[in-house]
Every structure is written in C-alpha cells, then in structure tokens.
C-alpha cells in the first residue's frame, strides 16, 4: 500500500527518531521529525499532518501537554511512544486524547502497523480524502470543503459560510 500521508514524529532520542523515520519512510510515509514538544507544536500549527507520533518525556513541552494542545485543534490520530510503562501513565495519555499508547522498547514494524490502523480508522470515520494529490479537499458524506478557497458544497450546491 503506497501512502502519501504526512506524519509528524516528536522524539528526543536521536537513534530512535532515525529508526522510526526510516521504517515509516520505507513504508511510504512522509515523515517530519522534531526533537522536542515546542518544535512539534510549532509544526502542527504551520503544516497539515495526517498523524502525530510522539514521546511523552521530551524537552520543552512534554507529550501530555502536546497531546492536549493538538486535541483542542484537531482530531487527527495521535500515537504515543513512551518509556513510561505504568497503567496510570497510559491512562493519562489516552484520557488526554491519544488514540494509542505504545511502550518502549517496541518493534518498529508494529509502529508501522499501528500507524496504518489509526489512519484507516480516521479515514473511515471522517471520509477518505478525494484524492491523494488533492489534500486541500475534505469530504465527509455529502459535504465537500475546499480548504484553499474555503468553499463548502453539499451535493454540488454551494453553502454560504460567514
């Protein structure tokens, strides 16, 4: 399956960040990697990502705070990769809005599988993009929104937005 999904990876461990980036890239994902929560938050505000993969313990802003901020702004899938293995840590991450929580160490192929699974669920619930080349077109049921022109249509009929 060829993916053209853009993924934001926030991980402060250089080796792990490189490993995850390599595995996701080999499976067709466009990965943008950052080393801390502040850079991740800035990236989320300036670029459209289909999924965020983040660590909990990062310099600057931790993964919990980043998850809260992203969730206020978007419903894109958020997957946490963390060395924090206690149930209370997992529950906190999931309750703050993460869609999945994996503990380190992990199999990189499992990360790829969970990313694919999260994206499948997301697109199934929110409508598959009309075309991989037209990422500015959002389609949900009969509604079509062009995010570049901000034109909304329902069954080809324009809907006035203020």
């Amino acid at each position: 399956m060829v993916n053209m999904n853009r993924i934001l990876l926030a991980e402060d461990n250089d080796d792990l960040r490189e490993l995850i980036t390599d595995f996701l890239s080999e499976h067709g994902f466009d990965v943008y990697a950052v080393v801390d929560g502040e850079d991740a938050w800035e990236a989320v505000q300036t670029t459209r990502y289909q999924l965020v993969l983040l660590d909990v313990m990062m310099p600057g802003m931790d993964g919990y705070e980043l998850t809260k901020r992203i969730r206020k702004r978007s419903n894109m899938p958020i997957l946490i990769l963390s060395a924090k293995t206690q149930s209370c840590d997992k529950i906190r991450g999931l309750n703050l809005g993460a869609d999945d929580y994996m503990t380190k160490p992990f199999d990189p192929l499992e990360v790829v599988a969970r990313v694919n699974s999260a994206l499948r669920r997301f697109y199934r619930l929110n409508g598959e993009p009309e075309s991989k080349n037209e990422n500015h077109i959002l389609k949900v049921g009969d509604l079509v929104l062009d995010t570049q022109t901000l034109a909304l249509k329902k069954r080809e009929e324009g809907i006035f937005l203020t």
Side-chain angles (χ1 to χ4, degrees), residues 50-52 67 70-71 74-80 90 93-102 114 117-119 121-122 125-126:
Q50 281 66 47
L51 182 139
V52 176
T67 297
I70 292 171
R71 195 48 75 218
S74 171
N75 66 344
M76 76 175 128
I78 300 171
L79 279 66
I80 292 177
K90 295 175 191 178
L94 294 167
N95 283 338
L96 289 173
D99 296 285
D100 202 352
Y101 191 111
M102 292 183 66
R114 287 181 186 244
S117 175
L119 288 169
R121 275 191 316 276
F122 178 75
L125 293 172
N126 295 291

Side-chain angles (χ1 to χ4, degrees), residues 33 35 48 56 58 68-69 91 93 100 126 139 143 154-155:
V35 298
R48 185 169 181 253
V56 170
M58 295 182 291
K68 282 194 306 192
R69 288 188 185 187
I91 291 166
D100 202 352
N126 295 291
K139 206 173 169 183
L143 295 174
K154 182 175 183 181
R155 293 188 204 106

Side-chain angles (χ1 to χ4, degrees), residues 5-34:
N5 289 302
R6 188 176 301 141
I7 294 177
L8 175 63
L9 170 62
E11 169 62 59
D12 61 329
N13 180 293
D14 295 338
D15 294 333
L16 194 52
R17 189 175 56 254
E18 186 176 326
L19 175 73
I20 295 168
T21 299
D22 289 347
F23 266 84
L24 289 171
S25 296
E26 286 174 17
H27 286 84
F29 292 99
D30 178 18
V31 181
Y32 179 69
V34 296

